[in-house]
Structures are given as structure tokens and as C-alpha cells.
Amino acid sequence: MATVLGSFLNRNNMNNYTPEVIKLESGKHATLFGDKKATVLLINTPLYDFATESASEFEVYQPPLGLAYLASFTHKNSNTLVQILDASGEQLSPEEVGEIVSIHDYKVVGLNSTTPSFKVVKRIIKSVDPCRKIIVGGPHATLLPETLLEDPALKVDAVFCGESEISFDRWLNGEKNIPGVLCQKADRSQASLDYTPKNLDDLPLDRRYVPFDPTHTEFNPQGRSRFFMLTSRTCPFNCYFCAAPALRRSASFRKQSDSKIAEEIISYAKLGIRDVRFLDELAILNDQQVEAIFRPVVDAGYTSEADMEFRMHARIDILNKLSDETLALMKRVGVKRLNVGVERGSVAAMRSVNKVNLTPEMVKRVVKRLADNEIFVTAYFMLGFPGESEKDMSDTVNLARDIKALAPQTEGTKINSFKFRPYPGTKIYYDLLDHGYTKAKLIEYSYDSGEINDKKNRFVDQQVNLHLSNVPFDVEQKYIESIRAI
């Protein structure tokens, strides 16, 4: 049985807070972040079943800031004591999670869920004592609540749809018929998101709830001391392979004020934090926004010369519109890397997934301009779209090679590639349903994360007996190997 070892000290501790460390029967250690004597445990569910699988070698650690916001809001509003377990970051098996749950008197156990993690969600639910209330949120729960509420093998007390700070707090306080909270058979008419937070500046974030945050923990599981920020919600664009449009049904794109973002960066830079990563799906909007956020940071003396480093997600078509002056400011403040979704290799293929403003030439032009400012990209591509031809795949691989050649140094352009998965809520998912594919088959196919760099997942097509492109499987695999080798 797991035992509590107490807390561990971080010599750089900035707020006199220390997380709680648990020793498992296996000898492995796990960490609980937040309040001692908590009655609520929120779990960041792994994509992988770590009892039998290992994470992709390309996995980059990032904490569950959504859960941290949830805990912060309900603690501030109702003084509820909450702990967070990052089972993904610490690579815990479902059984190890159950072991941890058993040592504390938690009344409520909550899990986040994506479709690739759904198998693990179910195993964790079955490992938890049913006398505790079990709740589930996240994209999968929002889009397919019936897979949780209508499965007789699962004991789930409530499903939370969409952003749940307000609804979660009200549910904990005993309210009934809360918009966005489903407690019985999934009735989508009850899945209203009326309680979505509107002003993000008003949402509290207590860093005690952020796993492995550098304000209280020296290193994260990958040995880095990195500060994470989430300054916006959802994405305003409508890519056909992305579920964002379905997830923002009554919650439009919102962001914190530029001044709040700048103030937070400066306040933590004063404490010695230098490595900052934005987890926003869209962190850069235009010249004015970049100026408003980063100019105060530069004026405060926190620049690349002071060892500041920033990483974030961005869109090629937005980066294409940035002025030379803006790129120079980004270089000066310390922006080192941008994650960009390219996905496909030709204009026609890009249009087919609603990347309407993108062209291969624009991609190459933006990568070159950024590299000239010592800002490099990690470019994301996908193979295996429905109806994809061999020429489409060849174009994708060639574009990946072209942009790699524009910044070939070790810390230059990086290529990250995925096998397409028709995740629930995406336009392509609904199109496939209209063409006769079954929901069960598509969900099973999407249990895999699509990370084609992971050898264990490369043959999921054969395991599930589903193949969507027009390219024979063995030929498609050759293109997958080609893009992996870049």
C-alpha cells in the first residue's frame, strides 16, 4: 500500500509551499500538489497505460493548467481543499493511481479525458473505490458524454461539459440541474455551457496547484525548470481535423488582457524564472498584441541577454503578417521556438482541411524570416487523411524537407509528424459518419494518439482494421518512415 513520505524541499522555493510525496508499493514515488487533507483529488490522465506501455520518446512535459485553474477557483470561492495528481507526467499506471487514491479520504475523484486517453480513464475509474464520487471532464466527456454515463461497467457520478470552473464549484456545493453538468443518461439538451467564464483576467491561478511549477519544485519530470502559462481559451479557427469548433459551442475565443500577461511574466522573472512556455492554442495574434505583451518585459530588463526564453504555439498565416520590427522584438525578448501546424504539403491539400490562407510558399517564407531572427519552428505534419493520394503524401514529405533545409542546425527547424485520427467533434469525423463509418469504429481508431514516431502505435490501422487514405498501407508506411527520418 502507498505511504505518505511527507514533503520535499526545493532550494528555490518561492512561496514556502511544499508538495506531498507518496511512496508506492513498487518503490516508485508520486507527488500530490495542492492542499493537505484534501477532500477532492483531480487527476491528469495519461495517454498511455503505463502498466504495459511507455510514452513516446518525443513527449514533452506540460502540466495540467486546466485542472489547476479548476482547483484554484473552487478553493478561492468555497475554500474546498483540493489536490492534483499528474499521473501523466509521473507515468503512473491505473493501478498505481488507485493505490494513491486509497490512502486519503477523498470524497470526490475527478479525471480529465481525451479520446486517446479514454481507455486509461475507464481503467482508473474501475480501480477507484466506488464509495467515492467520480466525475469526468475534458474534450471526450464534453463531446461524447454517453460513453461514460451509459456504460453499465462504469460508475460515473457526473460528467462536466466544457470549461467547468463555475459549474464544478456549484456542483461541489450541492446545486442541482447545473448547466453543463450531466448526472444521468446523456441528454445533450442539458449540456449547455452557460457557466463558461467570460473574463479570464478574473480567474485565479494558485501556483500550488500547478504540478512541478518552478515556484515550488526544482525540476519537472524531464529535468527542466519551466514556467507554463495559459492566457487564452479555445481557438477561433475552423480546421476540419480539430475539435475546437465543437468545443467552443457557446464559449468564443477569449484571452487575458495583454497587460495582465506582461505583468505576470515580469513578476515571475523577478523571482528568477527564465524559461516560459505558453500553452495557448494560439498565443500570437498580431503586431499590436506582441508589442503590448513583450515591450514592457523588455523595458523591465528581461530579454534574451538576461537568459529569457519563450516558446509558444502560433499560426503561419498570422506570423506571415508580422512586421520586421515585431520579429526583432520577439528575438530581443527571447522567443526561441514556435510550434506551427503545417499539416499538408500542397495548396489543394491545405484547402481540403480548411487551412484556407496557407500555401507552401508562405510556410517557407515564414520559416526563413523567423530563422533570420534566430527563432525556429517545430512544424507539425499529418499523414493518412481520408482520400489522401500518394502525390499528397509526397508533397507533404517534400515540404517538410524544404523547411528543414532552411534551418538545418541542431536547434533549427524540427519536424513532428502524426498519423491522422478522426477525433470526435471534428468535421472530418462527422463526414465519415455520413459516409457510413460507425461511431464505435472511429472512436476505437482514435484511441491511438496518432504519434507516428511511436513504433507501438504505427500499426493501429491493421489492429482496428481501418484505413482511410487511398494509398496502400505498406506504401503509406514508407512515407511515414520518410518524414520520421527528416
Side-chain angles (χ1 to χ4, degrees):
M1 181 177 179
T3 56
V4 179
L5 294 182
S7 301
F8 61 85
L9 294 176
N10 168 17
R11 60 182 174 82
N12 294 327
N13 197 309
M14 300 169 188
N15 57 11
N16 297 315
Y17 160 74
T18 52
E20 181 181 339
V21 180
I22 303 294
K23 185 177 181 181
L24 304 175
E25 284 186 349
S26 65
K28 185 188 297 185
H29 292 79
T31 313
L32 294 167
F33 298 87
D35 305 303
K36 307 296 192 297
K37 300 182 179 179
T39 58
V40 176
L41 177 67
L42 301 178
I43 299 167
N44 185 31
T45 310
L47 288 177
Y48 306 91
D49 182 346
F50 288 116
T52 58
E53 300 176 290
S54 57
S56 164
E57 60 184 300
F58 297 92
E59 197 87 4
V60 176
Y61 178 76
Q62 58 187 48
L65 288 186
L67 296 183
Y69 271 105
L70 206 62
S72 301
F73 186 91
T74 195
H75 181 75
K76 181 179 180 180
N77 247 39
S78 305
N79 202 32
T80 303
L81 301 181
V82 184
Q83 285 186 318
I84 290 181
L85 173 66
D86 190 354
S88 177
E90 299 206 76
Q91 300 192 8
L92 300 173
S93 71
E95 291 72 25
E96 288 170 331
V97 172
E99 184 182 345
I100 293 167
V101 171
S102 70
I103 71 166
H104 282 317
D105 188 26
Y106 298 117
K107 307 301 182 187
V108 176
V109 176
L111 300 97
N112 54 12
S113 65
T114 62
T115 301
S117 72
F118 188 56
K119 280 186 175 179
V120 180
V121 168
K122 292 195 291 184
R123 285 198 56 199
I124 291 176
I125 290 172
K126 292 174 181 178
S127 76
V128 173
D129 186 336
C131 70
R132 307 172 196 268
K133 289 189 175 180
I134 298 174
I135 61 174
V136 185
H140 186 91
T142 298
L143 296 167
L144 295 172
E146 65 273 14
T147 60
L148 290 154
L149 293 173
E150 298 175 13
D151 185 341
L154 297 178
K155 185 262 184 186
V156 176
D157 294 275
V159 168
F160 287 77
C161 300
E163 299 167 29
S164 302
E165 283 90 351
I166 299 172
S167 57
F168 178 57
D169 182 60
R170 296 193 176 191
W171 180 83
L172 285 173
N173 283 287
E175 283 194 28
K176 307 294 184 183
N177 302 317
I178 303 168
V181 182
L182 305 176
C183 297
Q184 295 176 350
K185 185 175 181 180
D187 179 357
R188 293 187 180 279
S189 67
Q190 299 298 315
S192 165
L193 307 185
D194 293 343
Y195 281 178
T196 298
K198 300 298 188 285
N199 186 347
L200 299 190
D201 282 8
D202 293 338
L203 283 180
L205 179 60
D206 185 334
R207 290 272 161 184
R208 294 179 305 125
Y209 297 112
V210 179
F212 305 103
D213 194 74
T215 60
H216 54 67
T217 306
E218 191 147 11
F219 299 113
N220 69 29
Q222 292 183 328
R224 293 182 178 276
S225 180
R226 178 170 285 170
F227 186 80
F228 290 84
M229 301 178 68
L230 180 63
T231 66
S232 64
R233 297 281 175 96
T234 80
C235 172
F237 292 92
N238 298 297
C239 299
Y240 291 162
F241 53 83
C242 180
L247 292 169
R248 65 166 191 261
R249 281 174 295 175
S250 57
S252 60
F253 175 75
R254 289 143 296 137
K255 62 183 289 297
Q256 294 176 353
S257 63
D258 298 333
S259 59
K260 178 178 174 63
I261 299 169
E263 288 167 7
E264 184 171 10
I265 293 170
I266 292 168
S267 66
Y268 285 102
K270 288 179 179 178
L271 298 176
I273 287 170
R274 293 294 181 266
D275 188 346
V276 179
R277 180 164 181 166
F278 288 75
L279 294 184
D280 308 58
E281 294 182 51
L282 186 64
I284 294 176
L285 300 177
N286 51 47
D287 287 315
Q288 294 75 23
Q289 180 231 14
V290 174
E291 175 74 19
I293 293 174
F294 287 127
R295 181 64 63 187
V297 178
V298 168
D299 290 346
Y302 299 109
T303 65
S304 59
E305 288 80 11
D307 297 323
M308 292 299 295
E309 293 188 12
F310 294 89
R311 293 166 176 80
M312 62 198 70
H313 298 283
R315 278 180 64 99
I316 289 287
D317 50 355
I318 291 177
L319 295 171
N320 184 56
K321 297 177 182 178
L322 298 184
S323 68
D324 291 341
E325 292 76 16
T326 296
L327 295 184
L329 174 61
M330 290 167 62
K331 174 184 177 180
R332 186 178 178 195
V333 80
V335 175
K336 299 297 184 185
R337 183 163 296 277
L338 300 175
N339 298 326
V340 297
V342 179
E343 321 307 353
R344 309 199 70 178
S346 70
V347 171
M350 291 170 176
R351 296 295 179 274
S352 73
V353 294
N354 209 32
K355 289 272 190 175
V356 294
N357 299 318
L358 207 58
T359 68
E361 291 308 313
M362 182 192 293
V363 174
K364 288 184 274 190
R365 181 168 62 249
V366 167
V367 171
K368 178 67 166 60
R369 287 184 69 210
L370 290 169
D372 288 345
N373 284 277
E374 299 177 18
I375 302 171
F376 301 107
V377 304
T378 297
Y380 291 83
F381 291 88
M382 281 192 275
L383 295 172
F385 282 96
E388 188 170 14
S389 68
E390 185 171 355
K391 182 181 185 305
D392 292 332
M393 291 187 181
S394 177
D395 289 341
T396 298
V397 173
N398 288 336
L399 180 57
R401 286 193 180 116
D402 288 346
I403 64 173
K404 176 67 175 179
L406 293 171
Q409 56 267 54
T410 302
E411 290 303 314
T413 299
K414 295 182 179 179
I415 305 299
N416 206 334
S417 50
F418 291 83
K419 184 71 179 290
F420 168 75
R421 292 289 178 259
Y423 291 125
T426 65
K427 183 180 183 302
I428 296 177
Y429 169 82
Y430 292 120
D431 287 345
L432 290 171
L433 288 179
D434 289 341
H435 282 81
Y437 290 88
T438 66
K439 179 190 293 188
K441 183 67 72 174
L442 295 179
I443 292 173
E444 185 181 7
Y445 190 59
S446 297
Y447 282 154
D448 171 58
S449 66
E451 173 62 83
I452 63 176
N453 296 306
D454 186 342
K455 294 179 180 179
K456 289 187 178 180
N457 293 332
R458 282 171 27 219
F459 299 101
V460 69
D461 302 54
Q462 293 177 330
Q463 294 167 354
V464 179
N465 190 28
L466 185 64
H467 188 69
L468 297 175
S469 79
N470 288 342
V471 180
F473 184 80
D474 57 340
V475 176
E476 183 176 282
Q477 285 299 118
K478 291 179 181 178
Y479 283 100
I480 287 174
E481 294 296 331
S482 295
I483 204 165
R484 290 181 67 232
I486 296 173

